[in-house]
Amino acid sequence: MTTESERPRAGAVRATGRQVRPATEGWSQKKDAEGRPLLQFASPKRGKPPVHLADLTPEARAARIVELGMPAFRAKQLEKHYFTHYTTDPAHMTDLPASTRDEVVHGMLPPLLTLVRKLETDRGDTIKFLWKLHDGALVESVLMRYTGRITLCVSSQAGCGMNCPFCATGQAGLTRNMSAAEIVDQVVRANRLIAEGGLGDPRRVGHEGERVTNIVFMGMGEPLANYARVMQAVRVMTDKKHGMGMSARGITVSTVGLVPAITKLAAEDIPVTFALSLHAPDDELRDELIPVNSRWKVDEALDAARGYFERTGRRVSIEYALIKDMNDHGWRADLLGDKLNARGRGWVHVNPIPLNPTPGSIWTASDPEVQDEFVRRLEAKGVPTTLRDTRGKEIDGACGQLVATEEDEAVAAATPAEV
């Protein structure tokens, strides 16, 4: 149990145990004119990527096909080639008229992602992709095979504007929002690699029809800061008639706590899994760890998360990166459990995550016994809790590690764009 002597008063460090404050090392956190951590909600102005089939509604696709000189029903054929066969190669689309095939395919399925490099770990079960976008911006996605499922961690922005000091992506700032099609194309390209045996021979490890089964919006970017494009991508992923036909329950959309957008997401009537990246149950620490907490406090974020459950019936995930001597104290586990239980039972699940250290970071993961005690205290409060398995640390492919390095930028500069 948490005692009064364990829990610090506001502005005080608790007498027992070490309290490390968030700080940066090896880089400078961007600040606004008042000296507060800079938050970038609006995407910087850059040239837009070409309009792609996945950016459009089914009706708009049909209209666009007609503009290109073909009957509207050809849009359905293009959808099947792209979403089911994972191809953008006109040579594979022999059901389209040869005379106008190239023009229509390039007009509807322009190249969006150029593969710069591909790194593997976990005996080939984890693959990190570095992609170059049309304007040279770099993003990453991570493909992971687990027993019974294949998960892809996708990026929704190039960089991130939320400026969380323990996240490598946040250190880079926001380059721009990604288009819906750029988000979807990460999935299509991953499915193409799986179909070609790039995640292990499908005849040996699965079956011929293997594909990505789960999507997590936990790559580069704050998904809810790119709301419209992320939701268009989700609609395409879940559309059984005109899209990829994935289960919405297999798609996880995460946020650091953009409360108005959480409420908006709850009203979408698409039952995706919602994850709140909390990382601290007290405003004093979370203000420093998660700068957006200066806008919407812990209780506001938790109220919005509870509202998501009430609207959708979908249990909410609370993500909590355990950082040694910073947010892993027993009293914080107790406080988190109390705050969640104050909003009811059965609506939430907590995923403590051992911190993935990033270059230049002074922090590291909690000691195993501290992690176990944190989990034990939450479970003692009756809160379902699972210590998250981390993948891809050896290739900087784990949560919070996705960032384009100087070496990546050099390799990307020498990589010609795909056509």
Side-chain angles (χ1 to χ4, degrees), residues 69 140 210 216 279 323 356 382 385:
E140 293 182 327
E210 263 197 331
V216 290
H279 306 311
I323 308 171
N356 297 304
T385 305

Side-chain angles (χ1 to χ4, degrees), residues 93-117:
M93 305 182 190
T94 54
D95 54 348
L96 299 177
S99 59
T100 55
R101 186 187 306 156
D102 285 3
E103 179 185 356
V104 169
V105 171
H106 286 111
M108 293 292 291
L109 300 172
L112 297 174
L113 306 180
T114 295
L115 181 60
V116 174
R117 57 169 46 171

Side-chain angles (χ1 to χ4, degrees), residues 25-27 165-168 171 356-362 396 400-401 403 405:
E25 182 178 52
W27 65 284
F166 61 93
C167 175
Q171 295 175 19
N356 297 304
T358 61
S361 173
I362 61 173
D396 291 334
Q401 288 185 326
V403 65
T405 65

Side-chain angles (χ1 to χ4, degrees), residues 156-157 217-218 220-228 230 253-255:
S156 55
Q157 296 178 310
F217 280 86
M218 295 181 183
M220 289 182 173
E222 161 55 52
L224 296 190
N226 188 18
Y227 188 90
V230 165
V253 177
S254 67
T255 180

